[in-house]
Amino acid sequence: MEKNYSVINYKDVHKLEFLDFCKKASLDTSMPAHKNMWKEGWQQDPSTLPYLLEIEKRFSNNNGEFVVLTHGTEIVACSGAYKSDFSDMVAIVGVRSWVNSEYRSKFLLGK
């Protein structure tokens, strides 16, 4: 991975910065997933990423991990992995992945 990129566990990310990242991502209507990144009142909407992270805590309690990729001080991507409901031996990966449009051609999540 190029210099100035860092992978940070979600629990170590400043929550207001991440919510701002989600708000900005929701404006990218060229991607169908934009509608799941943010909504006003996300605290009551299980379809949103902030709800899954903060209310449901899907990636917490030894169930998985959610990471954020930064370039310098800017959050540019995120992705998660968690144990499946049917087997502790199976992980669901690439969950709720998002890459800002200007970084999409760099295959950052794959690296």
Side-chain angles (χ1 to χ4, degrees), residues 29-88:
T29 58
S30 68
M31 302 301 290
H34 81 280
K35 61 186 174 188
N36 295 326
M37 291 300 290
W38 171 265
K39 287 181 187 168
E40 291 297 329
W42 60 264
Q43 298 89 338
Q44 289 80 41
D45 191 339
S47 71
T48 63
L49 179 57
Y51 182 96
L52 293 178
L53 293 168
E54 293 296 319
I55 307 298
E56 186 178 300
K57 302 204 181 289
R58 178 176 292 178
F59 305 94
S60 301
N61 303 324
N62 203 29
N63 187 48
E65 185 173 19
F66 196 83
V67 295
V68 172
L69 180 69
T70 62
H71 185 230
T73 60
E74 177 187 12
I75 297 174
V76 298
C78 62
S79 188
Y82 65 94
K83 293 177 190 172
S84 77
D85 292 336
F86 61 87
S87 173
D88 285 348

Side-chain angles (χ1 to χ4, degrees), residues 10 13-28 33-34 36-39 49-50 53 66-71 73-80 95-104 108-109:
Y10 175 74
V13 173
H14 189 274
K15 300 302 185 257
L16 291 178
E17 287 179 22
F18 188 76
L19 290 175
D20 188 50
F21 166 78
C22 291
K23 284 182 196 178
K24 289 177 185 172
S26 74
L27 301 175
D28 184 356
H34 81 280
N36 295 326
M37 291 300 290
W38 171 265
K39 287 181 187 168
L49 179 57
L53 293 168
F66 196 83
V67 295
V68 172
L69 180 69
T70 62
H71 185 230
T73 60
E74 177 187 12
I75 297 174
V76 298
C78 62
S79 188
V95 177
R96 296 299 179 119
S97 296
W98 184 271
V99 179
N100 284 349
S101 61
E102 62 270 26
Y103 292 87
R104 289 185 187 142
L108 295 173
L109 294 181

